[in-house]
Amino acid sequence: GAVVSQHPSRVICKSGTSVKIECRSLDFQATTMFWYRQFPKQSLMLMATSNEGSKATYEQGVEKDKFLINHASLTLSTLTVTSAHPEDSSFYICSSQKEGTDTQYFGPGTRLTVL
Amino acid sequence: DAKTTQPPSMDCAEGRAANLPCNHSTISGNEYVYWYRQIHSQGPQYIIHGLKNNETNEMASLIITEDRKSSTLILPHATLRDTAVYYCIVRADARGSQGNLIFGKGTKLSVKP
């Protein structure tokens, strides 16, 4: 068990549009989900932490009005990149912390390209 | 900042054991050692974690020194599919929103035929 899915796996959009990425924990419940992004040849950087039913906590330098996070249930979190620009092009990865444990399981990632 | 130090790259022959070292000299008493790996263009995959005892699962073994200042991840019989970047991360026990994973640069392991 401990499978996390992301949708879509790849998205290309025009500058100025908004993109929604879904993260689901398929076979377990996750009270806490995390969103990371990874630029080419760099390591993962944490963007925000979200707990089910409450507002997300954003890392320093991450604009909360630009990266909207909704964690409406114990198995689903969404990240919306609003008014995307080319500099937002990146690999976005979510992780879910299995309820009752301290282990995070990662999704396969979403490659966002903004033209 | 990451609290661990890993060699940037290592090579291993297919079928041989891969031993990946990690230094974490400032680890605190309540911090675990976690290992993840990331195959190109995929999300990180959990491998193993431990506090002070050695651990083994179906993927790997984790050897932690007695002073807990360093550890070694062992892949007993490396295959070409084990080629990936391996991350060693220390993190406090966190059953809530604390204890985020901080990724360093990791070790790029190349398994060669």
Side-chain angles (χ1 to χ4, degrees):
Chain A
V3 179
V4 178
S5 70
Q6 277 184 244
H7 178 81
S9 58
R10 184 180 297 267
V11 58
I12 300 173
C13 69
K14 292 182 179 179
S15 185
T17 60
S18 295
V19 174
K20 180 185 281 189
I21 303 170
E22 290 187 350
C23 176
R24 292 180 187 274
S25 52
L26 298 184
D27 53 358
F28 65 98
Q29 293 188 326
T31 49
T32 305
M33 288 183 164
F34 303 84
W35 286 95
Y36 297 79
R37 65 181 166 186
Q38 185 175 32
F39 292 106
K41 302 195 180 206
Q42 294 187 22
S43 194
L44 281 77
M45 295 295 293
L46 179 68
M47 297 176 68
T49 302
S50 75
N51 288 297
E52 185 260 338
S54 61
K55 290 184 178 180
T57 302
Y58 290 80
E59 295 299 300
Q60 192 172 10
V62 178
E63 300 174 57
K64 63 179 181 182
D65 295 329
K66 181 171 180 62
F67 299 98
L68 302 178
I69 293 172
N70 184 286
H71 191 164
S73 77
L74 288 174
T75 59
L76 173 64
S77 177
T78 60
L79 167 69
T80 301
V81 183
T82 62
S83 186
H85 288 94
E87 58 265 30
D88 299 321
S89 298
S90 188
F91 192 48
Y92 291 86
I93 310 168
C94 71
S95 72
S96 299
Q97 185 158 312
K98 194 171 183 178
E99 191 175 37
T101 77
D102 50 6
T103 301
Q104 290 183 35
Y105 296 92
F106 287 80
T110 296
R111 176 78 57 191
L112 171 64
T113 302
V114 185
L115 302 177
Chain B
D1 291 338
K3 300 180 185 179
T4 63
T5 304
Q6 298 177 252
S9 64
M10 290 182 65
D11 289 343
C12 177
E14 188 179 19
R16 304 298 292 269
N19 298 293
L20 292 95
C22 179
N23 286 323
H24 31 80
S25 58
T26 61
I27 192 169
S28 301
N30 66 340
E31 288 182 316
Y32 286 73
V33 180
Y34 280 79
W35 284 84
Y36 284 80
R37 72 180 182 184
Q38 187 177 25
I39 296 169
H40 184 62
S41 294
Q42 297 182 25
Q45 178 188 21
Y46 166 77
I47 301 173
I48 199 168
H49 76 285
L51 184 62
K52 55 183 178 181
N53 296 324
N54 297 337
E55 302 287 343
T56 295
N57 62 20
E58 64 278 5
M59 288 184 69
S61 294
L62 174 60
I63 308 300
I64 303 174
T65 57
E66 194 169 338
D67 63 7
R68 300 210 323 123
K69 293 185 177 182
S70 66
S71 61
T72 301
L73 179 75
I74 301 173
L75 307 179
H77 305 287
T79 70
L80 298 179
R81 289 179 296 178
D82 292 321
T83 293
V85 178
Y86 287 76
Y87 296 99
C88 169
I89 302 167
V90 296
R91 198 193 77 168
D93 184 5
R95 295 173 195 258
S97 59
Q98 296 80 25
N100 303 324
L101 293 173
I102 299 175
F103 287 81
K105 296 186 186 301
T107 295
K108 181 172 174 55
L109 175 68
S110 299
V111 181
K112 299 183 183 301

